[in-house]
Amino acid sequence: MSTETTVSDRQTPARGLPRRRTTGPVLPAFFGRYLLRERLGEGGMGTVYRATPLRRGPDVALKVLSAHHELEGSATRFAREVAAMAALEHPNIVRVLDHGDVGGRPYYAMELLRGVNLRELVERTGPQPLDRVLAILEPLADAVAATHAAGLIHRDVKPGNVMLDPHAPRLEPRLLDFGLVLAPGGEGERITLDGSLLGTPGYLAPEGMLSARALSAASDLYGLALTGVHLLLGAPVFRPHDLTTTELHRAARSRAFDTLDAVRTLPPALWTTLWRSLEYYPARRPSLDQLRAVLCAERTGTPCGSA
């Protein structure tokens, strides 16, 4: 994987991103050894473009650290994101193809995925059938398990960070965005310099409201289960303020499952495991392996693992 530093945009403005423009370059534009063709989206730290390598090859998704984040310590998180994704090899985790720096602007290139994220899927088509949810959650749980096996916590498992091509012959969800990745017990940031909480309101596990050090494999399990219930329900489970007290959290969880029960009947083992996975306190949640075993058993009709 190349880490070659390309031509500085300060030396050759026509071949790089302007350092002080917050609206981004006029496209198409050159950025090092890539031609930026289309802006695909903008996240907490960077902008993602569809880009064509100048040395041939298929188009990629190129994520570039945003100029206005350069003084906020985001470069450290960006580097951690690149390192984590480059170290993970799993069919349900997006692959990093290249990374480097152009005039002080870090970037990395990912495989360009076709389709929609799970949030968009639900917005377009509503609640998902159980067989589809199982086909999505089981490999996604395997991807999260591979992340944990590498000693990492994703910290932002949610529908918007999972891509899916609904028209592919086989459903293959891909876990994205390791921008908040954290080594267990590590020093990873909980808040930015302006005091805003890192993580996605409504999807951040309750313990993440207190400290990054409190986040664990149980926090990713929470996000995974929340994604599953979102797919089944066709709507988010929690509002941001529902995480502020155990009472609000319990009430919101009960409302969501009552609504779910009114529109469909889930297998008892799956219902119970999803319910327990959304407990306010991490110690009361099952393990990721237990959820994986239940998902496998529901798909195959036979006992699996530690179900």
Side-chain angles (χ1 to χ4, degrees):
M1 182 174 295
S2 171
T3 57
E4 175 186 349
T5 300
T6 54
V7 179
S8 169
D9 57 338
R10 287 172 289 186
Q11 297 171 338
T12 312
R15 294 187 62 82
L17 296 181
R19 294 181 63 80
R20 298 189 181 277
R21 287 182 63 178
T22 58
T23 57
V26 176
L27 302 180
F30 289 106
F31 181 73
R33 55 175 167 264
Y34 293 94
L35 177 64
L36 308 182
R37 294 189 176 277
E38 176 187 2
R39 187 177 291 102
L40 298 178
E42 187 164 0
M45 288 190 296
T47 302
V48 180
Y49 300 90
R50 180 174 67 86
T52 301
L54 300 182
R55 299 176 182 176
R56 295 185 180 180
D59 283 1
V60 300
L62 194 76
K63 185 171 183 177
V64 183
L65 181 65
S66 299
H68 60 281
H69 284 295
E70 292 177 357
L71 299 179
E72 297 178 5
S74 293
T76 300
R77 291 202 305 275
F78 196 88
R80 187 163 59 231
E81 177 181 7
V82 175
M85 295 179 69
L88 292 169
E89 293 188 9
H90 190 277
N92 299 105
I93 296 176
V94 65
R95 290 185 300 132
V96 169
L97 306 174
D98 174 36
H99 61 87
D101 181 282
V102 174
R105 299 287 296 281
Y107 73 87
Y108 66 86
M110 303 168 280
E111 55 187 326
L112 183 63
L113 303 178
R114 309 292 180 180
V116 297
N117 64 48
L118 297 185
R119 176 183 54 79
E120 293 168 333
L121 178 69
V122 169
E123 288 175 351
R124 295 179 186 184
T125 62
Q128 302 299 298
L130 178 59
D131 58 348
R132 171 173 279 191
V133 174
L134 293 174
I136 292 171
L137 278 189
E138 188 177 6
L140 186 57
D142 292 343
V144 173
T147 303
H148 295 172
L152 302 169
I153 305 299
H154 186 281
R155 292 208 294 177
D156 203 17
V157 178
K158 61 180 182 180
N161 281 342
V162 181
M163 284 290 292
L164 184 75
D165 183 352
H167 304 298
R170 178 182 177 185
L171 293 180
E172 294 183 351
R174 307 292 285 278
L175 182 61
L176 314 173
D177 200 342
F178 283 70
L180 300 183
V181 70
L182 178 73
E187 295 287 343
E189 305 90 344
R190 180 174 71 89
I191 57 175
T192 58
L193 293 183
D194 66 2
S196 59
L197 190 71
L198 288 176
T200 303
Y203 289 92
L204 180 66
E207 60 272 19
M209 301 286 289
L210 303 175
S211 169
R213 291 186 177 187
L215 292 165
S216 66
S219 309
D220 283 348
L221 168 74
Y222 180 97
L224 183 64
L226 201 52
T227 297
V229 178
H230 186 144
L231 291 171
L232 291 165
L233 194 60
V237 176
F238 298 113
R239 298 161 295 182
H241 71 268
D242 288 329
L243 302 183
T244 55
T245 69
T246 56
E247 291 77 13
L248 287 172
H249 183 275
R250 185 183 304 113
R253 183 177 61 153
S254 295
R255 283 196 304 270
F257 277 77
D258 286 346
T259 301
L260 195 57
D261 288 342
V263 296
R264 66 173 71 198
T265 301
L266 292 183
L270 179 62
W271 192 102
T272 299
T273 306
L274 290 175
W275 172 266
R276 292 181 56 222
S277 296
L278 296 181
E279 285 280 2
Y280 189 89
Y281 296 105
R284 296 180 179 176
R285 299 171 199 155
S287 69
L288 178 59
D289 282 344
Q290 288 175 307
L291 175 60
R292 293 169 70 197
V294 168
L295 293 171
C296 173
E298 295 299 341
R299 178 182 58 82
T300 63
T302 59
C304 300
S306 56

